[in-house]
């Protein structure tokens, strides 16, 4: 059945487009923003900490 | 706009969005696992017979209840994207953390590859049923991974909302199958009294079946990975995780009950899609369609959750420079670990195309198991170094240290089961982690900033 | 208290390290294929004979279910006669156990050493200062 062959090609093409979109976006973001900003996230900067501090959890 | 280059003076930072609720946590945990009820668990039937599989289901259920309790307690105090990786860093030390990070990335990426293969194989099966033999599953495998990676890239909220919907459908499909099997009239459709046999290999078979009994629950611990994106993580994660394990215990019991009441154990032990086969035996076409879609959705949900978790573990390792720092980037618009997501796409695809499905799955299960062994040691140290009165926990699990010890014992049993079935693979996977550890100590650790490894506002641990 | 200043890694080094870990994964995936110790003994199924449901020990109900699944005697026999072999090689078992225990022992030992450095840098070298708050 030709239908399945078309579907296979469609799957390849859609996958290609999605991956291309991701790649283009990633590259443009890496160019547009400073690397320092992109990797600036820090672990533990979190509401749970405020909560613990507020409730005086640390003795 | 460009941020100032000096990070020390510049407090401007981007972090992930805090948008998730307990339902998303449930969807992440159950979504990854539920595919195991549609396929995979039944290999435990081949190893030890139908009753052996039931014992495995309960014993491993106990293992995972311990995992869920331990995880909930530690996570209610350690809320960071790395999940168990971050726990290891704070409680045991950098090398253990590096290993735990690798366990997570390997377990999830390999499971993702297996899930995508299932989707591809189901497409081939449909094609064959409609008269087109020999459809290559490859384009559909790639499409699954590409689409889900795209979804993950675009934001965690949409990703896990989609996961919630398809996971719920898959779970309801299992319930529908149970109802369709007419459980109130045993002997009508379900023929347990005629189909259940004695243990075919005796008790050694039961032990061997523990390995595939893992399939009923493998991956539920992934809920911790969402910690940095959940609103009030200290409450949401325990709630989502324990809700998830209860869902899975129900699903596992129903699955076992229906499947063993319909199929001879020898068939069940090698079936590729046991629940779909069960629906075929019942002979209700709409139930068949529901189970087919359920299987498909379960596989997609699992792959989706795996991308989410593997990327976050990889991202966290990059952020701490355990892995190259380049991976520690967050997308400024979507707030996702976008480079980690991209990096893992070709890897997942290549795992799916190796043709070594057995190997890949064993690697995945064993990595999970190594992680559980870590959790047990982790819990004992956690309570010793920070007793209950020192830091406030959002959730405290009961009967310590029994769950940790039970977990350790059960892990040993599952190692033995893996040895029985896949001894050579087990050794080669251990060799991987040993070489990787040596590499970390000799090469990677020089890039790691020591004091930055401890980020929680905890007091100094006892004994250090 | 001495603070460790980590090295900065350049792009090329980052790429090499990412590739290294990948190569390691693939090698460990392919090793068991070369060892081939996982192969099941297939001699038993080699003998071709005619089966009946009775000779396979299949009851009437089981037979009915097999047939609903679309299997005849011969196809079912192939599955039913494919059995696992659970003989244990004590030497291999001992080696495997040693490897796993040794691995955890090694990882925890080294981690502990590294962890002491982390704690020292974070909280200061003095054990008596343990009451001090974490300074962010």
């Amino acid at each position: 059945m030709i239908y399945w062959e078309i579907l296979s090609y469609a799957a390849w093409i859609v996958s290609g487009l999605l991956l291309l979109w991701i790649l283009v976006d990633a590259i443009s973001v890496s160019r547009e923003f400073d690397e320092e900003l992109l990797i600036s996230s820090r672990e533990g900067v979190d509401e749970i900490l405020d909560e613990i501090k507020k409730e005086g959890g640390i003795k | 706009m460009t941020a100032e280059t000096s990070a020390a003076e510049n407090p401007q930072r981007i972090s992930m969005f805090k948008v998730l609720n307990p339902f998303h946590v449930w969807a992440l945990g159950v979504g990854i696992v539920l595919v195991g009820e549609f396929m995979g668990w039944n290999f435990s039937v081949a190893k030890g017979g139908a009753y052996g599989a039931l014992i495995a289901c309960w014993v491993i259920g106990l293992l995972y209840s311990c995992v869920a309790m331990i995880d909930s307690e530690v996570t209610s105090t350690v809320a960071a994207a790395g999940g168990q990786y971050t726990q290891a860093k704070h409680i045991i030390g950098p090398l253990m953390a590096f290993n735990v990070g690798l366990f997570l990335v390997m377990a999830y990426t390999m499971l993702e590859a297996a899930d995508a293969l299932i989707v591809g194989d189901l497409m081939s099966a449909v094609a064959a049923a409609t008269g087109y033999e020999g459809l290559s599953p490859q384009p559909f495998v790639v499409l699954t991974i590409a689409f889900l990676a795209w979804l993950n890239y675009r934001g965690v909220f949409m990703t896990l909302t989609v996961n919630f919907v398809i996971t719920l459908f898959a779970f309801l499909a299992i319930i529908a199958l149970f109802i369709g099997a007419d459980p109130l009239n045993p002997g009508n459709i379900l023929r347990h009294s005629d189909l259940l046999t004695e243990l075919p290999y005796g008790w050694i078979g039961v032990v061997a079946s523990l390995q595939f009994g893992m399939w009923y629950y493998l991956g539920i611990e992934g809920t911790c990975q969402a910690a940095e994106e959940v609103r009030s993580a200290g409450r949401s994660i325990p709630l989502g995780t324990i809700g998830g394990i209860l869902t899975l215990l129900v699903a596992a019991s129903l699955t076992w009950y229906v499947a063993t009441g319909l199929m001879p154990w020898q068939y069940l032990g090698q079936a590729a899609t046991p629940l779909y086969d069960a629906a075929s035996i019942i002979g209700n076409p709409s139930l068949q369609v529901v189970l087919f879609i359920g299987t498909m959705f379960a596989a997609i949900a699992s792959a989706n959750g795996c991308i989410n978790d593997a990327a976050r573990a990889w991202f966290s390792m990059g952020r701490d420079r355990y892995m190259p720092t380049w991976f520690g980037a967050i997308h400024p618009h979507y707030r996702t670990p976008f480079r980690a997501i991209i990096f893992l796409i070709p890897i997942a695809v290549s795992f799916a195309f190796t043709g070594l499905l057995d190997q890949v799955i064993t690697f995945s299960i064993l990595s999970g198991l190594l992680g559980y062994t870590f959790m047990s040691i982790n819990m004992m140290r956690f309570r010793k170094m920070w007793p209950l009165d020192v830091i406030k926990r959002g959730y405290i699990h009961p009967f310590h240290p029994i769950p940790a010890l039970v977990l350790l014992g059960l892990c040993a049993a599952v190692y033995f089961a893996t040895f029985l079935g896949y001894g050579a693979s087990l050794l080669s996977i251990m060799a991987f982690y040993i070489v990787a550890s040596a590499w970390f100590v000799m090469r990677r650790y020089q890039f790691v900033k020591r004091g930055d490894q401890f980020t929680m506002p905890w007091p100094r641990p006892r004994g250090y | 208290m001495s603070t460790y200043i980590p090295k900065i890694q350049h792009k090329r080094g980052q790429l090499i390290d990412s590739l290294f870990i990948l190569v390691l994964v693939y090698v460990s995936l392919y090793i068991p294929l070369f060892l081939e110790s996982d192969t099941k003994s297939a001699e038993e199924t080699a003998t071709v004979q005619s089966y009946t449901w009775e000779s396979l020990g299949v009851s009437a109900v089981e037979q009915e279910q097999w047939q609903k699944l679309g299997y005849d005697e011969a196809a079912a026999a192939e599955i039913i006669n494919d059995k696992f072999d659970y003989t244990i090689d004590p030497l291999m078992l001992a080696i495997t156990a040693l490897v796993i225990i040794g691995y955890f022992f090694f990882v925890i030992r080294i981690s502990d050493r590294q962890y002491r450095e982390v704690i020292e840098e974070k909280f200061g070298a003095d054990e008596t200062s343990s009451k001090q708050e974490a300074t962010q």
Side-chain angles (χ1 to χ4, degrees):
Chain A
M1 241 186 347
I2 192 95
Y3 169 70
W4 284 103
E5 275 165 38
I6 295 172
L7 208 61
S8 294
Y9 283 119
W12 281 121
I13 291 166
V14 174
S15 318
L17 289 176
L18 286 170
L19 294 175
L20 193 68
W21 184 92
I22 292 177
L23 219 57
V24 168
D25 185 78
I27 291 169
S28 73
V29 159
S30 300
R31 287 216 175 138
E32 188 184 338
F33 293 90
D34 195 82
E35 185 69 16
E36 290 293 326
L37 177 74
L38 291 178
I39 59 170
S40 66
S41 95
R42 286 291 168 269
E43 179 184 282
V45 183
D46 195 286
E47 73 192 44
I48 210 174
L49 309 192
D50 305 332
E51 230 173 84
I52 290 170
K53 277 180 190 152
K54 203 169 60 202
E55 296 175 21
I58 299 167
K59 291 169 193 168
Chain B
M1 61 148 225
T2 313
E4 278 178 51
T5 40
S6 165
E9 293 160 20
N10 177 22
Q12 186 185 9
R13 284 183 174 157
I14 45 175
S15 54
M16 296 178 174
F17 284 135
K18 281 199 165 295
V19 287
L20 304 178
N21 61 41
F23 290 103
H24 291 111
V25 176
W26 177 90
L28 177 61
V30 177
I32 290 178
V33 189
L34 206 61
V35 66
E37 328 279 327
F38 286 89
M39 53 187 50
W41 70 272
N42 54 306
F43 298 134
S44 66
V45 176
K47 294 263 175 185
Y51 278 126
L54 183 63
I55 297 168
C57 170
W58 286 339
V59 171
I60 301 290
L62 184 63
L63 184 153
Y64 275 92
S65 300
C66 295
V67 166
M69 289 198 311
I70 288 174
D71 238 10
S72 294
E73 174 168 335
V74 187
T75 307
S76 71
T77 54
V78 181
Q84 289 86 0
Y85 158 78
T86 311
Q87 301 174 11
K89 216 169 55 174
H90 283 84
I91 298 169
I92 298 187
L95 178 61
M96 187 78 245
F98 173 76
N99 277 276
V100 172
L102 279 186
F103 300 159
L104 293 168
V105 173
M106 293 304 153
Y108 290 122
T109 309
M110 296 200 176
L111 190 54
E112 174 195 343
D115 291 328
L117 265 181
I118 292 169
V119 176
D121 287 343
L122 284 174
M123 292 304 284
S124 304
V126 178
T130 56
Y132 185 91
E133 293 290 338
L135 177 75
S136 166
Q138 291 191 355
F140 303 101
V141 171
V142 176
L143 180 62
T144 307
I145 293 174
F147 173 73
L148 295 175
W150 177 78
L151 198 60
N152 269 277
Y153 187 100
R154 296 287 302 247
V156 72
F157 185 80
M158 191 41 117
T159 303
L160 291 186
T161 305
V162 168
N163 236 38
F164 179 76
V165 174
I166 60 181
T167 303
L168 192 64
F169 182 93
F171 179 65
L172 293 178
I174 294 179
I175 306 269
L177 178 68
F178 179 68
I179 294 169
D182 196 8
L184 294 178
N185 297 306
N188 181 16
I189 293 176
L190 295 174
R191 318 288 281 270
H192 287 107
S193 52
D194 298 300
L195 291 175
L196 288 178
T197 60
E198 309 222 319
L199 294 176
Y201 298 105
W203 285 97
I204 186 90
V206 176
V207 175
S209 68
L210 290 177
Q211 186 195 355
F212 288 105
M214 301 273 286
W215 272 137
Y216 288 112
Y217 318 96
L218 183 75
I220 182 71
E221 73 281 4
T223 49
C224 299
Q225 238 71 353
E228 218 162 300
E229 290 148 290
V230 168
R231 277 183 261 127
S232 54
R235 264 182 289 274
S236 301
I237 297 218
L239 204 63
T241 309
I242 292 175
I245 198 90
L246 291 177
T247 311
L248 292 173
L249 285 168
V250 170
S253 309
L254 297 184
T255 301
W256 181 89
Y257 186 75
V258 173
T260 53
L262 288 170
M263 286 169 265
W265 71 271
Q266 295 99 330
Y267 176 83
L268 186 56
Q270 54 81 59
T273 52
L275 289 195
Y276 177 74
D277 293 346
S280 316
I281 292 186
I282 292 174
N284 178 342
S286 46
L287 199 58
Q288 257 173 291
V289 172
V290 168
L291 263 293
F292 177 81
I293 299 174
T295 309
M296 188 79 117
F297 276 6
I300 293 173
S302 176
N304 197 18
C306 285
I307 295 177
N308 183 84
D309 283 356
R312 271 148 192 81
W314 191 254
F315 155 80
S316 303
M317 289 209 285
R319 188 162 64 175
D320 292 334
R321 307 190 200 179
Y322 285 25
M323 279 294 162
T325 86
W326 191 77
F327 296 113
I330 286 187
H331 197 291
H333 301 309
Y334 305 126
R335 304 297 178 91
T336 50
F338 68 113
R339 285 174 182 162
I341 293 172
I342 294 174
F343 177 71
L344 294 173
I345 296 172
I347 297 173
V349 171
S350 67
F351 286 157
F353 285 179
T354 50
L356 304 172
L357 189 60
D358 257 18
Q359 269 296 100
V360 167
I361 287 175
T362 308
F363 208 128
S364 182
I365 295 184
L366 196 72
S367 299
L369 187 61
L370 287 164
Y372 307 143
T373 314
F374 145 75
M375 278 182 206
S376 161
I377 302 165
N378 191 44
M379 190 64 221
M380 291 195 255
R381 277 177 64 97
F382 184 53
R383 286 278 179 110
K384 207 171 83 192
M385 289 156 61
W386 292 279
L388 290 181
D389 56 341
V390 175
I391 34 179
K392 186 182 174 333
R393 289 137 160 99
Y395 167 86
I396 297 171
H397 81 258
F399 312 123
H400 179 78
I402 295 170
L405 293 174
V406 169
L407 180 57
L408 197 62
L410 292 176
C411 284
V414 184
Y415 284 120
F416 180 65
T418 313
F419 167 79
L420 285 177
Y422 293 89
S425 307
L426 194 154
L427 281 179
S428 96
I429 295 163
M430 291 311 297
F432 165 76
Y433 285 112
I434 290 168
V435 174
S437 298
W439 176 72
F440 176 76
V441 173
M442 291 189 293
R443 172 157 174 85
R444 284 303 313 173
Y445 196 55
Q446 59 180 327
F447 303 113
V448 175
K449 197 159 182 332
R450 310 296 197 245
D452 280 6
Q453 301 312 296
F454 199 102
T455 59
M456 291 297 135
W458 297 348
R460 191 184 192 115
R462 293 222 173 136
Y464 285 87
Chain C
M1 174 178 92
S2 62
T3 303
Y4 175 80
I5 310 289
K7 285 187 189 170
I8 301 296
Q9 193 179 26
H10 294 289
K11 282 265 147 61
R12 218 169 66 117
Q14 297 196 15
L15 185 70
I16 291 171
D17 280 4
S18 311
L19 290 177
F20 173 80
I21 204 82
L22 280 186
V23 170
L24 204 59
V25 176
Y26 288 114
V27 168
S28 62
L29 276 177
Y30 279 98
I31 285 175
L33 281 194
F34 296 116
L35 294 179
E36 280 193 334
S37 51
D38 276 348
T39 46
K40 274 186 279 175
S41 54
E43 312 97 58
E44 293 164 40
T45 48
T47 51
V48 181
Q49 43 177 286
S50 60
Y51 295 102
T52 59
W53 290 113
E54 288 75 31
S55 74
L56 291 169
V58 171
S59 70
V61 172
E62 286 176 323
Q63 180 188 338
E64 191 186 317
Q65 304 301 82
W66 276 109
Q67 283 161 342
K68 275 190 202 164
L69 290 161
Y71 281 74
D72 61 7
E73 293 94 318
E78 217 169 283
I79 293 172
I80 291 173
N81 289 333
D82 186 16
K83 294 214 165 77
F84 285 104
D85 177 15
Y86 289 134
T87 42
I88 298 166
D89 178 350
L91 181 69
M92 280 311 286
L93 181 63
I95 292 174
T96 309
L98 269 179
V99 167
I100 296 174
I101 294 169
Y103 163 76
F104 273 102
F105 185 76
F106 158 76
V107 167
I108 289 173
R109 268 295 286 277
I110 308 253
S111 292
D112 194 66
R113 215 165 60 205
Q114 296 172 335
Y115 189 68
R116 283 178 194 281
E117 285 175 11
V118 171
I119 295 298
E120 194 170 307
E121 203 175 299
K122 172 87 185 174
F123 293 97
D126 193 4
E127 187 70 16
T128 54
S129 68
S130 63
K131 284 275 171 187
Q132 91 185 40
E133 271 274 308
T135 44
Q136 290 285 359

